[in-house]
Amino acid sequence: PPRFGEVFLLQIGRRYCEPTELIVAHPHLNWFELTIVTKGSGSILTNGVEKHVSSGDIYLSFPCDIHEIRADTNERLEYDFFSFFCESND
């Protein structure tokens, strides 16, 4: 993966979820992920714990988390994501 100082970029992207769309539960191995909600609202479930998110929220997923993302019933959810790991454990 590309290296930026002590940070290695695994993936970066943008997602548009239609109302009620579900990104099924998936594991993160040894990396972090930022989910930046740019429009709309929904929920992120991490290890069985649900957190409502909306435009302007930034959600941090930790290594070994299992999460899913759900758009709200009547609103499209748009978000950017950035997955990375660090060279140093600190």
Side-chain angles (χ1 to χ4, degrees):
R3 181 179 181 157
F4 300 90
E6 291 189 14
V7 175
F8 292 85
L9 175 65
L10 292 173
Q11 64 179 351
I12 190 167
R14 179 165 288 156
R15 182 73 193 219
Y16 304 98
C17 297
E18 295 303 320
T20 72
E21 187 173 345
L22 169 69
I23 306 302
V24 297
H26 58 280
H28 287 201
L29 300 177
N30 294 319
W31 64 82
F32 296 89
E33 183 173 82
L34 292 175
T35 302
I36 302 119
V37 181
T38 55
K39 189 174 181 185
S41 61
S43 296
I44 299 176
L45 279 77
T46 303
N47 304 323
V49 177
E50 183 173 7
K51 176 68 178 164
H52 189 264
V53 293
S54 59
S55 182
D57 287 343
I58 300 173
Y59 188 92
L60 175 62
S61 297
F62 289 91
C64 301
D65 277 350
I66 297 174
H67 79 176
E68 67 182 59
I69 300 172
R70 300 177 184 169
D72 277 345
T73 303
N74 297 314
E75 195 164 7
R76 185 174 171 171
L77 174 65
E78 300 178 10
Y79 63 92
D80 297 332
F81 56 91
F82 172 72
S83 300
F84 62 96
F85 67 91
C86 301
E87 180 175 59
S88 169
N89 288 334
D90 295 337

